[in-house]
Amino acid sequence: MSELGIVYALLGAAVAVLLSGTGSAIGVGIAGQAASGVVTEDPSKFAKVLIIQLLPGTQGLYGLLIGFITLSKIGVLGGGLADLSVQTGLLILAACLPIGVVGLLSAIAQGKTAAAAIGIVAKKPDQFGKAMLFPAMVETYAILALLISFLAVSGIQV
Amino acid sequence: MGNTKYTYAVARIRALETSLLTNAVIEQLLACPTAEQALQLLIEKGWGDGAAGNDMDAVLNREEEKTWQVIRDVAPDMSVFDVLSYPKLYHNLKAAVKEVCTEVRNPHIFYDDCSIPGEEMLKIVESKEFSRLPGNMPGVAQEAFETLLHTRDGQLCDIMIDKAALEAVRDAGRRSGEPIIDDYADTTVAIADIKIAVRSQKTGKSSDFMRSAMAECRGVSVEQLIRAALSGADEIAQYLEGTSYAGGADALKESPSAFERWCDNRMIETLKPQKYETFSVGPLLGYLIARKNEIKTVRIILTGKQNGFPDDAIRERIREMYV
């Protein structure tokens, strides 16, 4: 049964990276379309819209972080696979879910907000600071999920 | 993920909205003593291009071309803009039918910036290959052609094709699946119906004439409008007060040009919220109409100044701007 425990734990790491990475790719993609639209007409706004475009990219990094911590915890990184019970494996899988699911959905939502914020920069470049804040608000919830996933994965005794 | 196919297009339009004329620029144009100076001001703002030079018509036509060029560039699907291109298409049909029936050729009466340009339309009508025409055109083209040939009644031919055009616009709006395009199309038809009612009332046309000219739409009831038009101008205004075109009733009492301006302003008011949309076709339509509106306003100012109209007369025809 011990083999199944490590499978669940690895599945946890995969969920964290997969879902949040997918969300970020979609989010950055949506914002990138808007950014391209603005730069087509006004290349001088490239730097500003690039920063806003990158905002939905952080969820992917959070997922990567949780994935890393999980992998080193279960010994996939650094050699020597840990001997995990099914229960511990499932606990790790559950701990990875928050950043996976919240990462996926918040990155898409943030991508849409970023696209709208790029519209602000297109019309009123001097309001760049305010435009940044709207997509940054969505980030809060990805950070909260990261926090819980981080605490949970770190807290599970292997 | 929802529908994000307009993200690129809307962002590009957003960047372009900054170059739309504001009410302040319109005031500046009005303050110019001559049409030449007003045109110069527009050229400094990037209107026209090298080829258009200082010729008013060339500059304004170039601006319209530029607008369509942008929309063709960014729109993922041009069919939703059929509502805007149909009037030109049906105009071409009308012109071709008349040219063929009267065997007179007039230069510059066709629009070439639509799906069937003048030359081709003329060939289709000449060879009576009406089936090559799209949508509801084949039937009406044949009917209008035969009517004109037999009766020589140009107006009858006009209203047949105009009604078909209105119905095509209305149906294209419904087909587009975009509520804002549908609204625009329905409003266009309703306003056309109201104009027909007003003119028919003034010229004493019969109810049959009005019925064959007006197209059904959601905004106004054709039958009620006809009844009102038969009773008098006040009745038309009274009927409109009970519809969403209530503001138009006051404008109608003022003057025909006030009503025209009210129609344009109402359209712009309806479209203004599209400035805050990010993922729909609305901002593209808003930009297109805003550009048409500002080109029309500039044309009014320039021709008004060229013909020495007093400022007040020009001002009462000035449309509200989108931005």
Side-chain angles (χ1 to χ4, degrees):
Chain A
M1 286 302 283
S2 60
E3 287 88 356
L4 212 51
I6 195 84
V7 171
Y8 283 133
L10 201 56
L11 187 63
V15 161
V17 178
L18 257 173
L19 295 186
S20 59
T22 307
S24 277
I26 296 171
V28 174
I30 294 172
Q33 289 180 41
S36 309
V38 173
V39 174
T40 310
E41 295 301 331
D42 187 357
S44 70
K45 297 201 174 88
F46 172 71
K48 282 180 179 165
V49 296
L50 181 69
I51 295 171
I52 298 184
Q53 189 208 345
L54 290 179
L55 288 177
T58 49
Q59 281 84 344
L61 296 178
Y62 300 159
L64 182 74
L65 177 68
I66 296 299
F68 253 124
I69 296 172
T70 309
L71 291 184
S72 47
K73 191 159 192 104
I74 60 177
V76 173
L77 289 179
L81 278 185
D83 188 17
L84 299 181
S85 66
V86 171
Q87 190 191 6
T88 316
L90 284 173
L91 280 176
I92 293 179
L93 172 60
C96 290
L97 283 179
I99 191 56
V101 176
V102 177
L104 172 71
L105 298 177
S106 70
I108 296 172
Q110 200 174 18
K112 289 183 177 174
T113 317
I118 284 169
I120 303 182
V121 176
K123 286 189 94 168
K124 298 197 161 69
D126 50 322
Q127 301 298 321
F128 175 65
K130 287 177 192 159
M132 278 272 287
L133 279 179
F134 296 123
M137 288 293 132
V138 186
E139 192 74 21
T140 320
Y141 304 95
I143 294 173
L144 296 182
L146 169 70
L147 185 67
I148 292 304
S149 282
F150 180 77
L151 291 176
V153 173
S154 318
I156 296 167
Q157 298 297 321
V158 177
Chain B
M1 265 184 287
N3 195 351
T4 53
K5 67 176 176 179
Y6 285 104
T7 316
Y8 168 80
V10 173
R12 210 169 140 183
I13 291 299
R14 202 103 307 153
L16 286 168
E17 279 172 5
T18 53
S19 55
L20 286 173
L21 300 185
T22 58
N23 287 323
V25 177
I26 295 296
E27 282 301 319
Q28 266 179 301
L29 288 174
L30 276 172
C32 288
T34 64
E36 286 71 32
Q37 280 167 318
L39 186 63
Q40 205 51 46
L41 183 73
L42 288 167
I43 291 171
E44 281 164 19
K45 290 201 171 293
W47 278 49
D49 57 14
N54 285 335
D55 177 40
M56 179 188 109
D57 282 329
V59 168
L60 298 184
N61 289 342
R62 181 74 195 101
E63 284 307 302
E64 200 171 339
E65 273 169 34
K66 279 189 204 168
T67 312
W68 277 104
Q69 213 171 338
V70 168
I71 297 296
R72 269 194 295 272
D73 259 13
V74 302
D77 172 17
M78 278 304 284
S79 69
V80 291
F81 297 105
D82 281 350
V83 287
L84 291 157
S85 62
Y86 276 172
K88 286 186 176 175
L89 194 59
Y90 282 81
H91 166 89
N92 278 0
L93 174 64
K94 200 158 63 179
V97 166
K98 285 191 173 173
E99 288 221 322
V100 174
C101 285
T102 55
E103 289 168 7
V104 179
R105 294 287 179 271
N106 297 292
H108 312 303
I109 62 163
F110 291 109
Y111 287 113
D112 286 324
D113 53 344
C114 60
S115 59
I116 305 177
E119 281 299 308
E120 202 183 328
M121 187 66 89
L122 209 50
K123 270 186 212 150
I124 292 175
V125 177
E126 261 170 353
S127 55
K128 294 189 192 148
E129 291 172 349
F130 298 122
S131 57
R132 282 174 58 198
L133 296 167
N136 68 0
M137 282 181 118
V140 72
Q142 176 118 34
E143 211 183 325
F145 185 79
E146 281 164 12
T147 307
L148 187 59
L149 219 50
H150 295 138
T151 64
R152 293 279 152 188
D153 183 347
Q155 194 179 34
L156 196 58
C157 163
D158 280 354
I159 61 169
M160 284 166 91
I161 298 179
D162 285 342
K163 182 179 181 179
L166 290 175
E167 284 170 346
V169 166
R170 180 197 63 203
D171 295 342
R174 288 183 189 162
R175 220 173 31 242
S176 72
E178 300 280 353
I180 185 74
I181 303 261
D182 188 16
D183 263 7
Y184 170 80
D186 206 73
T187 308
T188 308
V189 177
I191 286 174
D193 284 348
I194 298 171
K195 282 181 188 167
I196 293 169
V198 171
R199 287 173 196 164
S200 301
Q201 187 272 323
K202 283 196 176 131
T203 50
K205 295 285 181 192
S206 69
S207 60
D208 285 341
F209 176 89
M210 285 188 261
R211 206 165 284 121
S212 51
M214 291 180 184
E216 292 288 342
C217 65
R218 289 192 306 266
V220 290
S221 150
V222 168
E223 282 308 318
Q224 279 179 283
L225 208 48
I226 292 174
R227 265 203 301 278
L230 290 174
S231 315
D234 288 343
E235 272 69 18
I236 298 179
Q238 207 177 345
Y239 166 66
L240 289 182
E241 267 160 21
T243 66
S244 54
Y245 299 91
D250 295 334
L252 262 179
K253 285 177 198 153
E254 209 179 306
S255 68
S257 78
F259 179 69
E260 298 268 343
R261 187 186 57 176
W262 177 83
C263 295
D264 286 348
N265 286 351
R266 185 181 185 279
M267 199 67 92
I268 288 289
E269 283 305 322
T270 319
L271 288 169
K272 269 187 177 173
Q274 299 305 320
K275 285 192 285 184
Y276 316 116
E277 283 284 330
T278 311
F279 299 108
S280 71
V281 69
L284 276 69
L285 179 73
Y287 178 76
L288 251 177
I289 305 298
R291 286 288 282 159
K292 277 166 97 95
N293 193 48
E294 71 178 20
I295 293 169
K296 187 193 274 182
T297 305
V298 164
R299 198 184 291 275
I300 290 170
I301 297 176
L302 295 183
T303 47
K305 287 198 179 290
Q306 268 174 351
N307 295 304
F309 275 36
D311 275 1
D312 286 348
I314 303 178
R315 194 178 289 277
E316 73 167 35
R317 288 169 172 79
I318 297 292
R319 269 65 172 163
E320 194 125 334
M321 292 293 115
Y322 183 60
V323 289

